[in-house]
Each structure stands twice: as C-alpha cells, then as structure tokens.
C-alpha cells in the first residue's frame, strides 16, 4: 500500500489516502446507521458503490483493512480484491477514525 500511495498520485492522478478516507467515511456512516456491534463489509459491493476500477479501489482498500484487526479480514485467493470481506467492530471504528485524523480526511 505504501508504494501505491507514493506513486499513484504521479502515475495515475489518484490518491489512495484520499480514496481510503472516502471509504472510511462511508463505512463509519454505515456502522452508525446500523447501530450494531459489528458491520460486515463486502469488498465487491463496496467497490460497486464507489464505482472505481480495481486498480484505484484496491490500494485504498488495503489502507482501510490495515486499520482492522486481521482476524476479521478474509484472505483472498484470487487476487481480485485486497480482501474479499471484513468485519468492523467498535475498536476498529476507533482505529478508522484515527486514520481519518492522520490522513486529513
């Protein structure tokens, strides 16, 4: 994720950190709306919502899932997504909020 974050702004005109902030804002809003102890996230559905190509989506997703406890992040076998799905718990919400503050989102 760090290489993408460094080079994508120059190579593709995209910013994985800004994109990750957009994803985090969406996820935190969903978590708040659902008012549940956990939020299940499907990467294919999230990508559909933002309508970004995989090349833009995956670096941002990688930055997001780095904030989530790895025990709640599915492993992917096909390489299509950085993770196929993951669950966000309240402690992950705190980590995601801190990420937003650090990333300027």
């Amino acid at each position: 994720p760090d290489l993408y974050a460094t080079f994508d702004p120059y190579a593709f005109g995209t910013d994985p950190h800004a994109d990750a902030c957009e994803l985090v804002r969406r996820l935190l809003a969903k978590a708040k709306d659902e008012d549940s102890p956990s939020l299940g996230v499907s990467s294919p559905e999230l990508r559909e919502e933002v309508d970004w190509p995989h090349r833009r989506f995956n670096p941002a997703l990688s930055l997001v899932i780095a904030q989530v406890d790895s025990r709640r992040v599915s492993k992917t076998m096909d390489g299509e997504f950085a993770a196929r799905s993951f669950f966000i718990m309240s402690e992950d919400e705190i980590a995601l909020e801190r990420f937003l503050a650090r990333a300027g989102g």
Side-chain angles (χ1 to χ4, degrees):
D2 292 334
L3 284 174
Y4 292 114
T6 301
F7 293 107
D8 280 10
Y10 302 105
F12 298 103
T14 60
D15 181 352
H17 280 97
D19 291 344
C21 287
E22 172 63 26
L23 295 179
V24 167
R25 283 190 290 275
R26 286 173 180 268
L27 295 173
L28 290 175
K30 280 184 185 181
K32 183 179 179 183
D33 287 347
E34 290 195 12
D35 193 30
S36 174
S38 68
L39 173 70
V41 180
S42 162
S43 297
E45 289 175 11
L46 184 59
R47 192 193 74 76
E48 253 182 57
E49 284 179 32
V50 294
D51 195 30
W52 296 339
H54 280 86
R55 180 59 187 80
R56 179 178 178 185
F57 181 75
N58 274 321
L61 180 64
S62 294
L63 292 169
V64 171
I65 62 174
Q67 312 308 311
V68 177
D69 187 313
S70 63
R71 294 173 293 182
R72 292 189 286 278
V73 178
S74 72
K75 306 299 180 223
T76 181
M77 301 306 252
D78 61 10
E80 184 177 6
F81 293 99
R84 195 50 110 174
S85 62
F86 53 101
F87 287 91
I88 297 174
M89 305 286 286
S90 57
E91 59 264 29
D92 301 313
E93 289 179 38
I94 293 167
L96 291 169
E97 289 169 356
R98 288 180 180 158
F99 172 82
L100 273 179
R102 284 190 314 271

